[in-house]
C-alpha cells in the first residue's frame, strides 16, 4: 500500500444511508464513487476535537444491502421529485438525480496517540451521526432493530497478531461485499484483446469488460442415421467474478491555475484545475476472501507531475 500499514482499524458498522448519490460519474451508476467515501473520511478527520489524536489514512467499504430509487423495467429510470419548493412557493424544475439507500460498514485505517482510547470509537461515531455520506443522510437505528457498536481495533506490530485481529473483524462483516480495485484484470483483458485485435484501445477493453457480451456457441450433433446437424446456443460470456466499472479519480486537462484566477469557480481560495474522470474495473468480494487490511483499504495516490488525482487499492488475488 502506498501509505504505511495502519496501526488500527476503526469500524463503523451498518450505517443506514438514505438517498445517497447513485450516479458515480458521467458513465457509471449504481453505487457512490469511492472518492465520495474518501472525501467523507477527510471531512470527518477535520471535525475531530483536539482531544482526539487520530489520523485517517485509508478507507474501505463493505456493502450489506442497497436499494436504488428507480422504476422497474427493461430500461430503468430514476425516481425524480420536484422538492424543495422555490422561494416563491412554486415547485422547482426537475433535475435528474440518482439516489439509493445503503446499508454499509465503513473501515478506516487509523494512526495516532488516541488509538488506545476506549471511548474514541463512540466519540467518532457521535460526530459521524451528524454528517452526510455521498450526499445521503445517516439514519438512526429503528426501534426494535439491533444496534451495532463502533469499534477501534488495534492491530499491533506482530504479523500473527495483526492477522488474528483482522480475521475476527472479517467475520463480523458477513454477509456483505467489499469493493476492491482490479486494475490487473483490466490490463490482462486488454493484452488478450490486443493479441487478437492489435488496434484495440484501452477504452475498448474497458467497455468490453463492463458490459454483458452474448456469444454464439455451435455444437455438431448426429442423428440416428448419422446425419450431422448444427445446434446454435447463445450464452453470456462469463466473467471472473462480480466485476463493475467504476471511477477512480480525475485526470488534469489543463495546468493548475492560481486561486481566484478562474472566474465563477466555486472556491476562490483554492488552486483550480479542469479535470475529467478516470475509470478502471472494480470487483465485489466477500470479506472472507480478504487476507490483509491492505486488500480492503483505498488511499489517495496522486501523481501531480502527471496530473493524476486518483485513488488506489492494493488488493491482490489469492
Amino acid at each position: 500500500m502506498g501509505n504505511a500499514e495502519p496501526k488500527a482499524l476503526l469500524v463503523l458498522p451498518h450505517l443506514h444511508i438514505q438517498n445517497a448519490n447513485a450516479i458515480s460519474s458521467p458513465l457509471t451508476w449504481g453505487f457512490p464513487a469511492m472518492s465520495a467515501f474518501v472525501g467523507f473520511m477527510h471531512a470527518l478527520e477535520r471535525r475531530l476535537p483536539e482531544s482526539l489524536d487520530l489520523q485517517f489514512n485509508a478507507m474501505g467499504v463493505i456493502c450489506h444491502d442497497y436499494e436504488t430509487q428507480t422504476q422497474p423495467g427493461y430500461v430503468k429510470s430514476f425516481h425524480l421529485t420536484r422538492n424543495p419548493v422555490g422561494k416563491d412557493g412554486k415547485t422547482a424544475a426537475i433535475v435528474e438525480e440518482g439516489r439509493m439507500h445503503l446499508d454499509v460498514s465503513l473501515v478506516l485505517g487509523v494512526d495516532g496517540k488516541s488509538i488506545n482510547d476506549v471511548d474514541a470509537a463512540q466519540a467518532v461515531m457521535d460526530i459521524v451521526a451528524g454528517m452526510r455520506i455521498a450526499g445521503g443522510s445517516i439514519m438512526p437505528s429503528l426501534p426494535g432493530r439491533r444496534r451495532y457498536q463502533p469499534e477501534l481495533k488495534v492491530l499491533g506490530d506482530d504479523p500473527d497478531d495483526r492477522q488474528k485481529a483482522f480475521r475476527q473483524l472479517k467475520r463480523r462483516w458477513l454477509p456483505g461485499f467489499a469493493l476492491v480495485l482490479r486494475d490487473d484484470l483490466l490490463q490482462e483483458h486488454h493484452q488478450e484483446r490486443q493479441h487478437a485485435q492489435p488496434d484495440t484501445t484501452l477504452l475498448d477493453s474497458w467497455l468490453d469488460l463492463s458490459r454483458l457480451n452474448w456469444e454464439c456457441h455451435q455444437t455438431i450433433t448426429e442423428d440416428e442415421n448419422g446425419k450431422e446437424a448444427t445446434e446454435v446456443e447463445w450464452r453470456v460470456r462469463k466473467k471472473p467474478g462480480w466485476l463493475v466499472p467504476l471511477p477512480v479519480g480525475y485526470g488534469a486537462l489543463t495546468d493548475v491555475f492560481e486561486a481566484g484566477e478562474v472566474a465563477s469557480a466555486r472556491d476562490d481560495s483554492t488552486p483550480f484545475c479542469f479535470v475529467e474522470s478516470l475509470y478502471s474495473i472494480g470487483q465485489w468480494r466477500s470479506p472472507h476472501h480478504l487476507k490483509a487490511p491492505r486488500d480492503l483499504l483505498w488511499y489517495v495516490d496522486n501523481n501531480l507531475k502527471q496530473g493524476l488525482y486518483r485513488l488506489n487499492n492494493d488488493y491482490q488475488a489469492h
Side-chain angles (χ1 to χ4, degrees), residues 111-124:
D111 198 354
K113 297 179 181 177
S114 299
I115 59 174
N116 293 308
D117 186 344
V118 294
D119 298 323
Q122 187 58 52
V124 174

Side-chain angles (χ1 to χ4, degrees), residues 57-75:
N57 50 38
M59 186 171 196
V61 177
I62 298 107
C63 183
H64 304 286
D65 196 8
Y66 69 95
E67 180 185 357
T68 55
Q69 300 300 293
T70 56
Q71 298 282 359
Y74 182 74
V75 177

Side-chain angles (χ1 to χ4, degrees), residues 62 97 111 122-123 126-128 136 192 221 262 269 294 315:
I62 298 107
E97 57 180 353
D111 198 354
Q122 187 58 52
D126 291 341
I127 300 173
V128 170
E192 292 175 356
T221 59
V262 177
S269 62
R294 63 191 306 162
Y315 174 80

Side-chain angles (χ1 to χ4, degrees), residues 40-177:
F40 161 80
M41 179 185 74
H42 292 313
L44 175 60
E45 188 175 270
R46 291 175 180 175
R47 293 194 179 196
L48 295 181
E50 293 183 0
S51 57
L52 274 181
D53 184 7
L54 298 175
Q55 293 87 48
F56 305 140
N57 50 38
M59 186 171 196
V61 177
I62 298 107
C63 183
H64 304 286
D65 196 8
Y66 69 95
E67 180 185 357
T68 55
Q69 300 300 293
T70 56
Q71 298 282 359
Y74 182 74
V75 177
K76 295 184 178 179
S77 58
F78 292 115
H79 294 173
L80 300 176
T81 66
R82 303 180 72 178
N83 299 320
V85 297
K87 293 180 180 179
D88 56 358
K90 297 181 179 178
T91 53
I94 290 180
V95 178
E96 186 178 44
E97 57 180 353
R99 295 168 296 170
M100 64 188 305
H101 304 330
L102 293 168
D103 176 4
V104 295
S105 291
L106 305 183
V107 183
L108 292 87
V110 185
D111 198 354
K113 297 179 181 177
S114 299
I115 59 174
N116 293 308
D117 186 344
V118 294
D119 298 323
Q122 187 58 52
V124 174
M125 188 62 213
D126 291 341
I127 300 173
V128 170
M131 297 180 64
R132 285 178 171 268
I133 300 178
S137 304
I138 300 175
M139 307 303 293
S141 298
L142 296 175
R145 287 196 176 183
R146 178 180 177 183
R147 293 179 180 271
Y148 295 90
Q149 299 300 320
E151 180 180 12
L152 183 54
K153 187 81 170 181
V154 178
L155 299 176
D157 297 325
D158 183 76
D160 293 336
D161 291 342
R162 294 176 65 89
Q163 281 294 326
K164 182 179 179 181
F166 190 62
R167 280 198 300 271
Q168 292 175 346
L169 289 174
K170 286 192 302 182
R171 297 191 190 103
R172 300 171 194 170
W173 299 335
L174 296 171
F177 289 89

Side-chain angles (χ1 to χ4, degrees), residues 251-255 257 262 272-276:
L253 295 174
T254 64
D255 294 332
F257 297 96
V262 177
F272 187 96
C273 181
F274 290 93
V275 298
E276 64 179 353

